[in-house]
Amino acid sequence: MSESLATDPVFSVRNLWKVFGRKAERIPGSPHAELSAEELQRQTGCTAAVRDVSFDVRRGEVFVVMGLSGSGKSTLVRCLTRLIEPTSGSLEMDGEDVLAMDKNRLRELRRHRASMVFQHFGLLPHRSVIDNVAYGLEIQGKSKAERRERAAEMVEKVGLAGLGERRPGQLSGGQQQRVGLARALAVDPEVLLFDEPFSALDPLIRRDMQEEVIRLHREEGRTMVFITHDLSEALKLGDRIALMRDGEIVQLGTPEQIVANPADAYVRDFVRDVPREQVITVRRAMRPAASAETETGPAVAPGTKVVDAIEAVARGGEHVRVVENGRTLGVVDYEQLLTVVAGLDEEAEGEGEREVAAV
């Protein structure tokens, strides 16, 4: 995951609605917009899958949209490229109005700028791995030599070297998903959009694919939007997480912000069983350093997870310095670290920054 993220957004979404049903366009901005999902369905026959959602996807980040089944997350990601047409709101990519794009411009966006990786691989069974990966380049009109060369590079990049001439039916589920990932990468998109791509995979294969996404992001710094219902997957992959419920974003923030400062009881219940020491960093746990503590002793970076800092304290003695760019920001000892692990710091005012979607 990126340590420093550019501030200019790739996607900028404001007050986005997607309502299904007759006369759906009448719901946003009307009194019906305030109704619960059940009441809206009962009174109007409409379903609001996405309700007044606003957020930015920053360049170079892994932006995770997470929620339970029916929360609206998959509908939301499909709205970004208008695979599903939003009902109202604004949607821009690199400052360009996506909702105003004609068919040709929209086709270009989907073919060149934003590639989807789905849970169901959609591979062509009669084609080789290489030809499946090259399919998007074929649609773009690239020459056969050019697209096969590029496809071979992507096959190797995703760890399938030597399997390029096999058919999808000769591959495992995890290998097939790697083919899908390579196919999305082959067109060199600005953004990769993942819609629960690993949900059907066995746990060990799923973990391998998560590591593959982390590796690719570390090597390329490509912007990614990742949809999942799995909290551990969201915490592992996300620079920031938008947690959805009933079509709304109930909290948006870094994994640390969401675990350390849940926005409400729903989020608190969601993260209740998360091992806090594996998510929260020492920046939250440190105390001001006394003058005698700033010069010597073991040091860790402010982004160090509490679990690693506990080990460092155990090795080094009473405390560990938190150092950034050669400057001691503070120190942590067992007392601070155990307070964070126990969750006793949650009511500390002003600690952390919570972003909640505009309503």
Side-chain angles (χ1 to χ4, degrees):
M1 292 181 285
S2 301
E3 290 297 324
S4 59
L5 300 171
T7 56
D8 53 324
V10 176
F11 281 109
S12 184
V13 178
R14 294 294 179 270
N15 308 114
L16 196 74
W17 284 79
K18 177 56 190 177
V19 183
F20 294 97
R22 292 184 60 195
K23 301 180 180 179
E25 69 281 355
R26 297 186 180 183
I27 302 301
S30 76
H32 289 124
E34 304 301 321
L35 297 176
S36 67
E38 294 78 10
E39 275 299 301
L40 182 66
Q41 173 66 35
R42 189 181 67 82
Q43 293 189 26
T44 69
C46 291
T47 300
V50 177
R51 304 174 66 111
D52 200 20
V53 165
S54 299
F55 62 91
D56 289 331
V57 176
R58 300 168 184 164
R59 195 171 309 280
E61 78 172 329
V62 179
F63 185 88
V64 173
V65 183
M66 201 203 95
L68 300 177
S69 178
S71 63
K73 58 189 185 299
S74 291
T75 300
L76 176 59
V77 75
R78 283 168 166 78
C79 284
L80 296 180
T81 56
R82 286 174 56 194
L83 291 174
I84 292 178
E85 287 287 350
T87 303
S88 70
S90 68
L91 168 60
E92 294 182 351
M93 183 176 186
D94 296 324
E96 183 178 1
D97 187 349
V98 175
L99 301 183
M101 290 181 177
D102 60 21
K103 289 183 179 179
N104 290 333
R105 189 67 178 144
L106 195 56
R107 188 179 301 116
E108 181 184 350
L109 181 150
R110 294 170 183 166
R111 290 182 178 179
H112 297 271
R113 299 168 65 187
S115 288
M116 292 282 298
V117 182
F118 296 99
Q119 177 181 343
H120 303 291
F121 320 124
L123 304 181
L124 302 171
H126 60 287
R127 290 194 174 199
S128 68
V129 167
I130 288 285
D131 288 337
N132 266 282
V133 173
Y135 183 67
L137 299 171
E138 183 179 342
I139 292 175
Q140 290 182 0
K142 305 293 185 184
S143 69
K144 184 174 182 179
E146 185 178 358
R147 63 182 186 249
R148 284 186 65 86
E149 180 181 359
R150 172 70 176 170
E153 291 176 7
M154 294 304 102
V155 166
E156 185 168 350
K157 179 179 279 288
V158 300
L160 294 177
L163 303 180
E165 298 307 320
R166 293 193 183 182
R167 297 289 190 269
Q170 298 174 293
L171 304 178
S172 68
Q175 289 172 330
Q176 290 181 38
Q177 190 58 281
R178 287 174 186 265
V179 176
L181 178 56
R183 181 176 57 190
L185 286 168
V187 298
D188 194 24
E190 182 179 353
V191 184
L192 279 172
L193 305 172
F194 296 86
D195 188 10
E196 300 207 63
F198 309 145
S199 295
L201 301 178
D202 293 336
L204 291 179
I205 300 175
R206 183 171 186 166
R207 186 181 64 189
D208 288 345
M209 288 304 301
Q210 290 167 356
E211 294 294 339
E212 188 68 18
V213 168
I214 291 170
R215 181 184 68 80
L216 287 170
H217 185 255
R218 184 171 59 245
E219 291 178 358
E220 300 188 346
R222 197 182 303 266
T223 307
M224 298 179 180
V225 179
F226 198 100
I227 308 301
T228 182
H229 66 270
D230 186 291
L231 178 60
S232 62
E233 186 168 71
L235 295 172
K236 183 175 184 177
L237 298 180
D239 289 307
R240 290 188 302 149
I241 300 168
L243 181 57
M244 294 189 72
R245 177 182 58 186
D246 295 334
E248 298 179 282
I249 294 178
V250 294
Q251 186 167 1
L252 195 162
T254 65
E256 182 173 9
Q257 288 165 359
I258 287 176
V259 170
N261 292 109
D264 59 19
Y266 177 78
V267 181
R268 190 174 300 111
D269 189 56
F270 224 106
V271 302
R272 179 181 56 196
D273 296 326
V274 173
R276 291 167 58 87
E277 69 275 11
Q278 297 179 18
V279 179
I280 297 175
T281 65
V282 296
R283 187 186 293 275
R284 182 180 179 84
M286 67 185 181
R287 60 172 171 78
S291 57
E293 296 174 317
T294 61
E295 301 300 329
T296 61
V300 296
T304 302
K305 298 292 191 296
V306 165
V307 65
D308 298 318
I310 289 173
E311 293 183 12
V313 170
R315 290 194 306 267
E318 294 184 358
H319 68 267
V320 172
R321 294 181 300 136
V322 181
V323 176
E324 186 174 46
N325 298 324
R327 185 170 67 93
T328 299
L329 304 180
V331 296
V332 289
D333 56 27
Y334 271 126
E335 183 177 351
Q336 279 84 39
L337 295 173
L338 294 178
T339 295
V340 168
V341 172
L344 299 177
D345 63 324
E346 287 185 358
E347 296 180 3
E349 195 164 334
E351 292 201 334
E353 176 187 351
R354 180 185 304 156
E355 299 175 71
V356 181
V359 189

